[in-house]
Every structure is written in C-alpha cells, then in structure tokens.
Amino acid sequence: MNTRKFLSMLSVFGLILSSCSDDDDPVPVSGEEVITTMTVTLTNGSDTVTLRFFDEDGEDGPTNPVETVSGSLSAGTTYTGTIALLNETESPAELVNEEIEGEADEHQFFYLTDDLGITTAYADQECDFNDDPCEGSNANPVGLAFTLTTTDAVGDGELRVVLRHELNKEAQGVAAGDITNAGGSPDIDWTFNVSVE
C-alpha cells in the first residue's frame, strides 16, 4: 500500500470517528402539541353554554373537525369562561392545559368577535400559574379563564378562539386581547357560530 492511499484511508477513518462523537448528538426537539379537543364553557349561574371543537386525528389528519354548541347565549349577560384542551390521540387523554400553565409566558388565548357587541376580558395572569410575584410581565394574561359579556342585541354571530405560542406579549395591545401585533404561531384557531337570544 502506498503512502498516499494509506493517508487517504486514515483521513476517512478519522472522519467516521468524529461523526460518531457525543459532541454531535442532536438536541431533542420538542414537537408541537397535538390538540384534538377544545371545550369552551360559559357559565352564568345555572345557565351553561358549551362550545366544543373536536378533530379526532389532530390538525394534519384527513378527518374534518366537528363543532358543537350546546345552546344560545342570553342577552345582557356576563358569563364566566373557562377553556380546556385535550389530546385524545393518547390514552388516557392528555390535558394540554398543563403545558400551557407551565409555559404561561409563551402562550395566550385571544377571543375575537365584533358581532352583536359581545366583549371578552381576561380573568387570569401568568402569576396564577407560578410562584413569582404578580407584577411586570408576570401579570400578562393567559386566557384559560375569561369573561364574556353579551349586550341586548340578539341574533347570530361568531366567536373566534385562537391560542398563540411564543408570541410577543409586550407588543402594543396584546395584553388587552388585540392579536394584531402578537406574532407567534397558532396552536389552535377556530371560529364558533354562536347565537344570542
């Protein structure tokens, strides 16, 4: 074997060894959450209206999502709102809320409508999900809890519910629920058909 061929083989062997080094191990990447089910529960005393989105195979599957709304909202009423997200492709179903609570600084819901004068307001802050003082950016909303208020107007309308991930909560209007400058990526985005009687 000549020297040139020996050095070439030695070089290739060295490359193979370096590619097997621990330094080159890929860093595990956390995948996007699969959300199959979103349930928005609106309660005023004994009056409860449930809005449910269900997509059995998640966002990228071939099955179309199904929406159900349990009834009509009452005019001139303020409802206490809560939201629950599930991944039902797993057994038992995974409660995605736990991840949102753990990463409250990276998530925020937006409740969007200009129909029938319906308004919403946040009823939680990031500090509700950690032990840090409730001040500064830790007082930013998350939106797992909110209120929804109807006016005296009756008829049909829409309520769009969006969960943004890794958004800019400090951008203008975002803490007040304006999605315009929020950025980030949507974890879920669905528009419910609602009616007020």
Side-chain angles (χ1 to χ4, degrees):
M1 179 181 300
N2 66 38
T3 305
R4 179 178 272 172
K5 189 172 183 179
F6 174 76
L7 289 174
S8 177
M9 290 178 63
L10 188 62
S11 176
V12 170
F13 183 71
L15 285 174
I16 291 171
L17 280 180
S18 67
S19 70
C20 296
S21 163
D22 287 342
D23 294 341
D24 295 334
D25 284 348
V27 176
V29 175
S30 173
E32 293 285 327
E33 280 298 318
V34 174
I35 298 173
T36 60
T37 311
M38 173 170 63
T39 304
V40 180
T41 304
L42 301 168
T43 305
N44 177 283
S46 61
D47 181 12
T48 299
V49 177
T50 302
L51 317 175
R52 185 173 186 263
F53 160 93
F54 178 63
D55 187 352
E56 68 177 329
D57 51 10
E59 180 183 11
D60 298 325
T63 306
N64 290 327
V66 176
E67 170 190 318
T68 55
V69 177
S70 68
S72 300
L73 299 167
S74 299
T77 303
T78 296
Y79 291 87
T80 298
T82 58
I83 189 162
L85 302 177
L86 295 174
N87 174 8
E88 297 190 77
T89 63
E90 296 187 3
S91 182
E94 175 190 11
L95 181 61
V96 179
N97 288 39
E98 293 172 352
E99 178 168 335
I100 296 169
E101 292 170 4
E103 297 175 352
D105 59 329
E106 297 179 5
H107 292 88
Q108 184 174 329
F109 284 93
F110 295 88
Y111 298 94
L112 308 170
T113 183
D114 56 5
D115 292 340
L116 304 172
I118 295 172
T119 57
T120 61
Y122 291 108
D124 63 7
Q125 299 170 296
E126 292 175 22
C127 57
D128 293 328
F129 308 109
N130 60 46
D131 296 328
D132 296 330
C134 197
E135 58 190 19
S137 62
N138 203 34
N140 282 331
V142 181
L144 286 166
F146 66 102
T147 60
L148 182 147
T149 302
T150 60
T151 66
D152 291 336
V154 297
D156 297 328
E158 294 180 337
L159 174 64
R160 181 180 169 203
V161 181
V162 182
L163 173 60
R164 285 280 177 92
H165 185 198
E166 294 183 344
L167 69 162
N168 180 6
K169 291 193 177 191
E170 303 303 320
Q172 184 177 6
V174 173
D178 183 352
I179 198 171
T180 307
N181 301 314
S185 59
D187 280 343
I188 193 165
D189 185 339
W190 187 256
T191 300
F192 291 98
N193 295 302
V194 296
S195 61
V196 178
E197 294 182 348

